Amino acid sequence: MTDNKSKNDSESNLHKLAIEGQLPLKTVGIENLKEANPGQMPPHRYLHPWFARRPTSASRLAILASILPSGVDTDEILSWMQVGPDHIDEEVAEYVENKKRSEDGRNGTIEDHYGYPRLYESSPSPEELDELHEVISETWDGLPTVIDPTAGGGVIPFESYRYGFPTVANELNPVPWLIIKVLLEYAPEVGSLKKELEKWSSEVHNIASDNLKEYFPSTRPHRTPSHYAATYTVSCQDCGAQIPLVKKWWLNKDSSSKGIAAQPIIQDDGEIEYRCVSLPEDIKKSEFNPQNGPKSRSGAECLKCGIVLEDEKIKESFREGEFEYEIFGVKYTEDGSRSGWRSPTQQDINAMEKAKERISSDFDLSSLLSVERYIGDEDRAGPFGVTEWRDGFSPRQLVSHYEYLSAYRECREEIIDEYEEKTADAILTLLALASSKLLGRNSRFSPLDTTRGDPANALGGKHFTLQWVYPDNNLTSGIQSYHTAINRIIDSYEALVEYLETSPNADCNIHQGDAADLPVKNNSVQAAIIDPPYYDSIIYSELSDMNYVWLREYLSETFPEQFDALLSNKEDEAVANAAEYESVEDRTKSKSEFASEDYEDKMSNIFNELFRSLEPGGVMTVMFTHKESSAWDTLTKSLIRSGFTITSTHPITSEMPQRTDTQGGGSADSTLLLTGRKPHESKAESETLPTLWSDVRAETREVAKEAARDLLEAGLSLTKTDVIISAFGPTLQVYAEAYPVVDDQDNEIPPRRALEEAREAVTRVLVEEYLEGERLDDLDDITEWYILSWLVHESDTFHYDDGHQLGLGIGVDIDDIKRSTKIWGKKRGDIQLKTHEGRVQDITLPPEERSNRTPVNPEALSYTIALDAIHAAMHVYEKQGEDVAIDWLKERNFDTDAGFKTTLKALLQVLPQNSSEWEAARNLALGRTHDVLGLEFTPTDFTEPSEETLEQSELDDHD
């Protein structure tokens, strides 16, 4: 083992901090989930869209715990965070956890139930700040400066400033930089702008709405189009009729068979008219099924002649501009309160044509946003000819956004003349943000949410996709109007101003630039709190370009340095962007490997810069929310090589579990706080010898297991995946203390190896916790991997890296078994586990007619993979019944096969009980097959009490 004496001596010189001890993690996790209500988010979220903002409570904890001394009571930390009512008879953590347990039965709002507001609404009082500052000043010899070098949406620096700490915020991308400027400069220094914003937004709106009237005609008084359900048509190559590229005809769907839909009626000349119908009142679903639109994944079927135009031909038509914009439904508002749907009229069609003519005849419009789009790996619009930013908008959408831009420009000089510079800049910025917000629900990337019949967010899926049905939105009226956006911004901005009224005037510096080149002096900062970019889960610059190109039109004169470039900065962004290496000549590595190395280099540069900026003994807390081992691997190597000593890790539930925008993606549901310190000695003074991996490996496994058991016992609201991720922290701490780590051949062992060990070790703990007395080690590796995958992910679909790393931990290369076993397949880059229905040959067919794509032969007499035997048994039972299945089981001696029974029992515990696969497993474990197999369990052993009666009734029916 390595002598780490010099390292330990260096650590002993550091004053311990609260974050290096016990923290109220469960309580803070509850606060995070309280903030995750989409209808009641913190006001800064409504200023403008941005990605992956951290919850207020997690940010506060990271800041305060990183600068408070160790030994501070956790209740004191919660009190300073504003958690809990003013006067209670029990500990704050206990109070909050009790309230969480009774939350489902509450009366009234969340605030009523808990007895205090959400944290983002609560600022500490002057008296509380004085007490807090006194404690912290004694630790740091004055108030510490807090820096966030990748500030994003600005939550961390805003909370730091709100608590009166000298704050430095840096952000590379100008779009979130604007948000930060509003939070940390305009709100505290300019103050309320309610009257000014109401005045000038009305001016902008009135000018624009007058110019847009002809493009949104009303069919009767007081009834105004809110938005159009729009699509495209291409010509049938056989009969020349127009083919609408609609997958489903629903406009507003109440259920699978009820709602409002557009019924296409093909004319003799090949043109199509649309009738707005309500199902089932106006028409029976048997006569017209809105589920069956002409567009499918493979192409589009002509409504007149039935010929299918292939998808490649459709792409070619779009690239060559051989398509037409089409509207097939109109949502309207009536008297500003009621809304409904109607069929499109000739007036509507004429208005759309006017917009199209205007685009080609108006000089300004004809060249507006003729900027080449950056098309990354996840872009799904480029292949359809959406290559310039103007292509991202239909003619009427482009005209609408342009008229508001023109109105803004018309008012701009008056605003500059009327107010002092900072106030004018604040007004202009907030007006620009309002217009920019409208882009997300009025573009060709914006879906129509048929559950509500309203425009939805273009970037909800974190990529650009050309929508076959999109909303052509009326910004002057209706559901997503300019008034909607600006009123939300005004309310949000005024709330932020109010939140800061009790905050002391702390020093605050806002910078826009590379986090690896900060304008701060050496050894001048005490604490760095960083929520870094998450590897490849979000390519921020690419997604922000839709807003950037428009904000550049609005604000390039106000902020010429920030909006000088045509697109946002891709080169300096610290993400693993494989698209940047599309044309690399060196084919010894994949573009993903190049991107990973680039991310590691950039994160190293950022950590090196923070190391330079921090004073000796300074603290850095990294908030990281990612599943992939590769992301943790590169982050850890970057951190260690920068000279930091990892001193603590803490997991916090930070997101609503199983969020739709992250399922299958890289983000985890919990945030890990990973804390490092800058030693008082330089690396040269504290240099250590390499440590052998054989010495580190056992400790790595034990620490990971211990962390997992502690988390399970603590009752934190973590998914099984997050339990694994949370064990990464202690694992990396062991690795960092032993760094550098080498094997017997003196080859460096990367952090990834330690994480693989941790993943496998924690999985064993999960097996002990959730699978009753199972010895999965006795099963073949492939079956074990399949069961563990269901156990850990609780879904048939999960990130490829998760499945790959799990396989490596138990000796399975999942790529090697993919083709031969068909045990898994790819779904949009993720792993999707296969069921018996997709793996077993149809026993009812003659052997020569069976598909050779299904590897499991149900007539085989033995199986080397236990899962194959189970799947074959499921198939036989399903296709030929219980009697045949019993004979089949006996012939193969599965009545005495321990591996068969273990696999069946494990599947009953890990498969979702609402799935057909679980039902198939249940059938084998019930009735006479249960008796033949000699099973010592039934499916009801693994169901919740509330479900037991249901399962027992099914057993009675079966008998």
Side-chain angles (χ1 to χ4, degrees):
M1 290 290 289
T2 299
D3 180 7
N4 285 310
K5 183 178 185 301
S6 56
K7 180 187 295 184
N8 295 332
D9 287 345
S10 177
E11 288 180 26
S12 66
N13 293 328
L14 302 174
H15 53 267
K16 295 295 182 183
L17 300 170
I19 202 163
E20 293 164 332
Q22 295 296 315
L23 295 179
L25 301 176
K26 188 172 183 179
T27 309
V28 174
I30 293 169
E31 291 298 325
N32 289 339
L33 296 179
K34 283 166 61 179
E35 191 174 300
N37 183 345
Q40 251 182 320
M41 294 272 190
H44 56 76
R45 286 180 177 255
Y46 298 113
L47 288 174
H48 194 274
W50 194 244
F51 311 97
R53 288 178 168 110
R54 294 298 98 217
T56 302
S57 42
S59 301
R60 281 190 186 178
L61 179 67
I63 295 165
L64 295 181
S66 295
I67 55 180
L68 279 166
S70 65
V72 175
D73 185 74
T74 55
D75 256 30
E76 280 190 281
I77 295 175
L78 291 172
S79 178
W80 280 320
M81 288 178 62
Q82 307 301 295
V83 178
D86 289 337
H87 303 289
I88 52 176
D89 296 329
E90 55 192 316
E91 291 184 349
V92 176
E94 183 181 356
Y95 172 88
V96 173
E97 290 169 27
N98 286 335
K99 287 294 182 181
K100 178 62 178 176
R101 281 189 282 271
S102 59
E103 189 178 294
D104 290 341
R106 74 177 190 270
N107 293 317
T109 65
I110 285 286
E111 285 85 352
D112 293 336
H113 177 72
Y114 280 87
Y116 60 96
R118 288 178 171 88
L119 295 202
Y120 65 79
E121 297 175 314
S122 301
S123 296
S125 68
E127 294 75 21
E128 288 173 311
L129 284 177
D130 286 344
E131 179 187 25
L132 175 65
H133 287 182
E134 183 178 351
V135 174
I136 291 173
S137 294
E138 290 177 359
T139 303
W140 295 95
D141 195 23
L143 287 181
T145 296
V146 175
I147 188 171
D148 183 353
T150 57
V155 183
I156 293 170
F158 181 72
E159 290 302 317
S160 172
Y161 183 86
R162 197 171 180 179
Y163 273 78
F165 305 124
T167 301
V168 180
N170 179 79
E171 172 56 43
L172 177 68
N173 194 301
V175 177
W177 173 81
L178 284 175
I179 302 171
I180 296 167
K181 199 167 182 67
V182 172
L183 292 172
L184 297 178
E185 184 175 328
Y186 297 150
E189 295 181 24
V190 178
S192 174
L193 288 170
K194 183 177 176 64
K195 292 180 180 178
E196 291 82 358
L197 289 170
E198 287 176 345
K199 171 187 173 180
W200 290 106
S201 64
S202 293
E203 287 285 330
V204 169
H205 174 71
N206 291 338
I207 295 169
S209 59
D210 284 346
N211 293 332
L212 286 171
K213 278 182 182 177
E214 62 181 316
Y215 300 103
F216 298 93
S218 299
T219 55
R220 65 175 67 174
H222 310 296
R223 179 182 281 191
T224 306
S226 167
H227 51 271
Y228 301 89
T231 186
Y232 314 93
T233 61
V234 291
S235 296
C236 174
Q237 292 181 322
D238 193 63
C239 71
Q242 294 301 298
I243 307 175
L245 303 180
V246 176
K247 291 185 175 181
K248 297 178 183 179
W249 290 108
W250 291 109
L251 298 170
N252 194 351
K253 183 171 64 172
D254 296 332
S255 66
S256 60
S257 59
K258 289 180 62 179
I260 300 169
Q263 182 184 16
I265 302 171
I266 189 78
Q267 307 297 303
D268 292 339
D269 61 359
E271 296 295 318
I272 302 171
E273 292 184 359
Y274 300 95
R275 186 163 68 100
C276 190
V277 296
S278 179
L279 279 79
E281 285 82 4
D282 295 343
I283 193 169
K284 294 179 181 178
K285 195 174 178 183
S286 58
E287 299 172 10
F288 163 61
N289 189 346
Q291 293 289 113
N292 301 330
K295 182 72 177 72
S296 66
R297 180 175 295 182
S298 59
E301 182 181 350
C302 178
L303 297 176
K304 186 175 183 182
C305 71
I307 295 295
V308 174
L309 186 65
E310 294 181 356
D311 189 56
E312 281 304 316
K313 286 291 184 182
I314 294 173
K315 287 181 181 178
E316 184 180 327
S317 297
F318 270 71
R319 288 194 294 267
E320 295 178 1
E322 296 176 354
F323 68 92
E324 298 293 335
Y325 295 96
E326 183 93 330
I327 53 174
F328 61 94
V330 186
K331 188 167 187 178
Y332 60 83
T333 55
E334 197 162 18
D335 295 325
S337 56
R338 295 186 302 159
S339 65
W341 285 92
R342 63 170 174 81
S343 305
T345 66
Q346 190 60 45
Q347 277 182 292
D348 299 314
I349 297 170
N350 293 342
M352 186 174 63
E353 289 300 316
K354 280 182 185 177
K356 189 175 179 181
E357 292 167 9
R358 169 103 184 267
I359 291 293
S360 58
S361 61
D362 186 303
F363 177 77
D364 287 338
L365 269 169
S366 66
S367 60
L368 180 67
L369 299 187
S370 296
V371 180
E372 288 289 328
R373 293 181 60 238
Y374 178 91
I375 298 178
D377 279 4
E378 292 296 313
D379 190 283
R380 301 170 191 176
F384 290 90
V386 185
T387 56
E388 292 186 348
W389 269 109
R390 62 184 289 108
D391 301 330
F393 305 91
S394 73
R396 182 158 40 193
Q397 289 171 339
L398 198 60
V399 169
S400 297
H401 292 305
Y402 172 74
E403 288 297 349
Y404 275 91
L405 172 62
S406 298
Y408 171 93
R409 287 171 172 170
E410 193 171 324
C411 296
R412 183 177 183 278
E413 292 306 318
E414 292 183 62
I415 294 172
I416 291 172
D417 291 342
E418 186 169 333
Y419 304 96
E420 61 91 19
E421 183 178 2
K422 185 165 287 189
T423 301
D425 287 351
I427 295 168
L428 292 170
T429 298
L430 290 164
L431 291 174
L433 289 176
S435 292
S436 183
K437 282 188 69 171
L438 294 169
L439 298 168
R441 286 173 167 78
N442 194 39
S443 73
R444 293 172 67 193
F445 311 118
S446 309
L448 181 71
D449 178 2
T450 55
T451 61
R452 300 167 59 90
D454 293 341
N457 182 13
L459 297 179
K462 308 293 188 296
H463 51 71
F464 290 109
T465 297
L466 186 69
Q467 301 292 331
W468 296 118
V469 173
Y470 63 89
D472 209 334
N473 198 20
N474 183 0
L475 304 185
T476 69
S477 177
I479 306 299
Q480 295 288 343
S481 68
Y482 180 79
H483 269 314
T484 304
I486 192 62
N487 287 340
R488 178 59 65 86
I489 282 181
I490 293 171
D491 291 344
S492 299
Y493 177 78
E494 294 300 312
L496 293 168
V497 171
E498 181 182 343
Y499 293 168
L500 295 174
E501 285 179 352
T502 59
S503 300
N505 293 321
D507 291 335
C508 183
N509 293 291
I510 306 167
H511 305 288
Q512 187 270 315
D514 190 348
D517 186 20
L518 299 170
V520 296
K521 296 179 181 179
N522 293 349
N523 306 318
S524 63
V525 175
Q526 287 71 47
I529 315 297
I530 175 174
D531 178 25
Y534 299 152
Y535 197 61
D536 63 351
S537 63
I538 301 175
I539 309 300
Y540 302 87
S541 58
E542 180 184 353
L543 297 180
S544 71
D545 276 348
M546 181 171 70
N547 298 106
Y548 177 88
V549 294
W550 280 100
L551 286 169
R552 184 172 183 269
E553 296 290 331
Y554 278 86
L555 295 170
S556 60
E557 293 183 57
T558 308
F559 306 113
E561 291 183 14
Q562 284 73 24
F563 290 95
D564 177 54
L566 292 176
L567 296 174
S568 63
N569 188 334
K570 311 292 185 300
E571 184 178 346
D572 296 322
E573 185 176 37
V575 293
N577 186 2
E580 287 287 278
Y581 297 91
E582 193 70 44
S583 59
V584 291
E585 294 183 5
D586 183 357
R587 290 303 174 187
T588 59
K589 288 183 288 191
S590 69
K591 63 180 184 178
S592 295
E593 289 173 318
F594 276 110
S596 180
E597 289 178 1
D598 182 58
Y599 176 74
E600 182 180 337
D601 289 342
K602 285 175 177 172
M603 288 308 304
S604 290
N605 292 338
I606 291 172
F607 290 142
N608 284 334
E609 185 70 349
L610 290 176
F611 193 88
R612 176 193 67 80
S613 304
L614 285 170
E615 68 178 28
V619 59
M620 178 179 68
T621 293
V622 182
M623 304 175 72
F624 204 60
T625 304
H626 206 287
K627 293 178 182 177
E628 286 196 46
S629 301
S630 50
W632 282 99
D633 186 65
T634 51
L635 182 81
T636 306
K637 284 190 285 188
S638 302
L639 192 151
I640 295 172
R641 290 172 180 173
S642 299
F644 285 97
T645 300
I646 297 177
T647 58
S648 70
T649 58
H650 299 281
I652 311 174
T653 300
S654 61
E655 307 287 351
M656 189 63 73
Q658 299 180 348
R659 305 180 315 285
T660 56
D661 66 326
T662 61
Q663 286 184 39
S667 296
D669 293 322
S670 65
T671 288
L672 195 71
L673 303 182
L674 191 152
T675 299
R677 303 292 295 275
K678 178 176 179 177
H680 286 283
E681 299 174 353
S682 68
K683 286 183 179 179
E685 294 170 328
S686 59
E687 189 175 0
T688 57
L689 297 172
T691 309
L692 283 175
W693 168 239
S694 57
D695 294 330
V696 178
R697 183 172 178 267
E699 187 179 359
T700 293
R701 293 182 63 83
E702 192 54 42
V703 165
K705 284 184 176 181
E706 184 179 349
R709 293 189 185 105
D710 288 346
L711 289 171
L712 292 171
E713 291 173 5
L716 297 176
S717 181
L718 300 173
T719 65
K720 296 183 182 74
T721 300
D722 283 335
V723 172
I724 293 175
I725 303 303
S726 298
F728 282 1
T731 301
L732 294 175
Q733 198 169 338
V734 170
Y735 176 90
E737 288 172 358
Y739 183 83
V741 181
V742 297
D743 62 16
D744 293 339
Q745 305 301 315
D746 206 32
N747 298 312
E748 184 175 342
I749 298 294
R752 171 184 282 266
R753 286 283 300 278
L755 299 178
E756 289 171 8
E757 290 292 332
R759 184 187 294 273
E760 200 275 333
V762 174
T763 301
R764 297 300 169 197
V765 173
L766 295 174
V767 169
E768 295 170 9
E769 180 74 16
Y770 294 104
L771 295 185
E772 291 186 10
E774 295 308 308
R775 289 282 302 167
L776 297 187
D777 290 349
D778 296 336
L779 297 176
D780 60 274
D781 293 342
I782 294 173
T783 299
E784 183 182 8
W785 176 81
Y786 186 86
I787 293 169
L788 293 179
S789 294
W790 273 112
L791 171 68
V792 170
H793 303 293
E794 302 171 277
S795 170
D796 67 344
T797 305
F798 46 89
H799 201 284
Y800 170 83
D801 185 71
D802 285 344
H804 181 65
Q805 293 298 322
L806 180 60
L808 292 178
I810 60 175
V812 175
D813 187 329
I814 63 171
D815 293 320
D816 289 346
I817 66 170
K818 181 174 181 287
R819 181 184 294 274
S820 61
T821 67
K822 293 291 194 299
I823 202 169
W824 69 277
K826 279 202 171 183
K827 181 181 180 182
R828 294 181 180 176
D830 291 335
I831 284 176
Q832 185 171 51
L833 298 174
K834 300 295 186 181
T835 63
H836 77 284
E837 294 172 341
R839 300 189 65 239
V840 185
Q841 298 168 9
D842 191 343
I843 198 171
T844 63
L845 296 176
E848 65 272 11
E849 294 181 18
R850 297 175 189 172
S851 172
N852 57 10
R853 295 183 178 181
T854 47
V856 180
N857 179 6
E859 293 180 327
L861 296 178
S862 62
Y863 300 90
T864 57
I865 300 172
L867 181 68
D868 290 355
I870 292 290
H871 278 175
M874 290 176 175
H875 176 82
V876 171
Y877 190 107
E878 189 176 90
K879 293 289 185 179
Q880 298 184 315
E882 185 180 53
D883 290 338
V884 174
I886 288 173
D887 292 339
W888 187 93
L889 291 167
K890 288 180 176 179
E891 286 173 3
R892 289 155 181 80
N893 298 319
F894 287 135
D895 52 337
T896 59
D897 190 315
F900 186 94
K901 298 175 188 180
T902 296
T903 303
L904 179 59
K905 183 178 180 182
L907 288 174
L908 284 166
Q909 294 177 77
V910 300
L911 290 170
Q913 293 179 19
N914 60 352
S915 68
S916 59
E917 192 75 350
W918 187 85
E919 291 176 3
R922 177 200 59 188
N923 290 339
L924 289 178
L926 287 175
R928 290 193 294 133
T929 48
H930 171 276
D931 297 337
V932 166
L933 291 170
L935 300 180
E936 298 178 358
F937 61 88
T938 63
T940 54
D941 294 337
F942 315 120
T943 57
E944 296 295 325
S946 60
E947 298 173 332
E948 192 168 332
T949 304
L950 173 63
E951 299 300 336
Q952 188 60 48
S953 68
E954 292 177 353
L955 174 61
D956 293 339
D957 293 341
H958 181 84
D959 287 340

